Structure formats: C-alpha cells, structure tokens
Amino acid sequence: MVTIELDANAPGLPWRFKPLVRHIEVHPGQLARVEYEVVNERAATVTGQAVPSYGPAAAGEYFKKLECFCFTQQTLAPGETRRMPVLFVVDPKLPRDVNTITISYTFFEVTPRGGKS
C-alpha cells in the first residue's frame, strides 16, 4: 500500500481550494479517484491553471494522471463552486522504499486583474 497525501494552494487568488480528503491508501496499479473543491470568492470571473508538484520529487514519474483538472485552465464565475476529479494510477514499478507520495496542486491566475482575456 502507498499513502497518497493531497495538498492544495492558490496563492494570490481569491479562491478557497482544498482536497475533499487529505490522504488515501492505494495499491500500486489500482485505479484511484480523488476530488478537489474550489470556490471563487471574487465578484468577477477568474481563470486559473493548476500546476502539480510531487514529494518525493522522483515519485512524479510513478504517479500517472488519467484525468486531471490540471490538464486545462479552469474558469470560475463569481461565487462559483466546482468539484474537480483527479483519476490516477501509481505505477507498480514505484520503488518499494517509497511508502508515501504527496501531490500538491498550486493554482495560478492566468487572466489579467481586469478579468478580460
């Protein structure tokens, strides 16, 4: 079993962004699904792009995302709440000494402050 720890950040964005669970246990090779929730607290439409990072850094090559909100930009209307899935598999070739993988998503705004793109 491998523990997957989930983290979320949105520095400088007026978004509340969090995983719905903080960690899950998976068997390497098992298809797994987690969800993140984001709320736009700004009174204007905002577009963001999520960038993943992994700990340990080498674990990234064993964490295979099949579906992820990080593949595309996310545009949220004022006050909009959205649940976003991540569908993934941990490669069975993950080194045996890696028992925990932390995946952290950081959202960055990709539209000008005026809200026009």
Side-chain angles (χ1 to χ4, degrees):
M1 294 292 280
V2 177
T3 300
I4 307 298
E5 296 179 339
L6 305 166
D7 184 47
N9 305 284
L13 273 175
W15 287 4
R16 274 186 289 127
F17 176 47
K18 66 180 182 181
L20 294 185
V21 297
R22 293 287 175 196
H23 61 85
I24 63 169
E25 303 279 326
V26 299
H27 288 285
Q30 167 192 350
L31 186 62
R33 184 179 196 268
V34 295
E35 284 189 321
Y36 281 75
E37 182 178 86
V38 63
V39 179
N40 179 8
E41 296 181 323
R42 187 182 288 168
T45 298
V46 179
T47 300
Q49 176 72 53
V51 177
S53 59
Y54 305 91
E61 72 180 86
Y62 300 98
F63 193 92
K64 308 295 184 189
K65 295 182 297 296
L66 305 174
E67 179 182 338
C68 183
F69 59 89
C70 65
F71 293 162
T72 59
Q73 294 180 355
Q74 302 295 319
T75 300
L76 277 73
E80 181 179 355
T81 298
R82 182 177 299 166
R83 286 196 174 174
M84 305 173 297
V86 179
L87 191 62
F88 68 93
V89 174
V90 174
D91 191 319
K93 295 177 183 160
L94 179 74
R96 290 200 178 276
D97 64 338
V98 178
N99 300 315
T100 302
I101 297 174
T102 301
I103 182 163
S104 179
Y105 288 99
T106 302
F107 257 111
F108 297 97
E109 188 169 355
V110 294
T111 52
R113 285 266 174 217
K116 305 266 190 253
S117 45

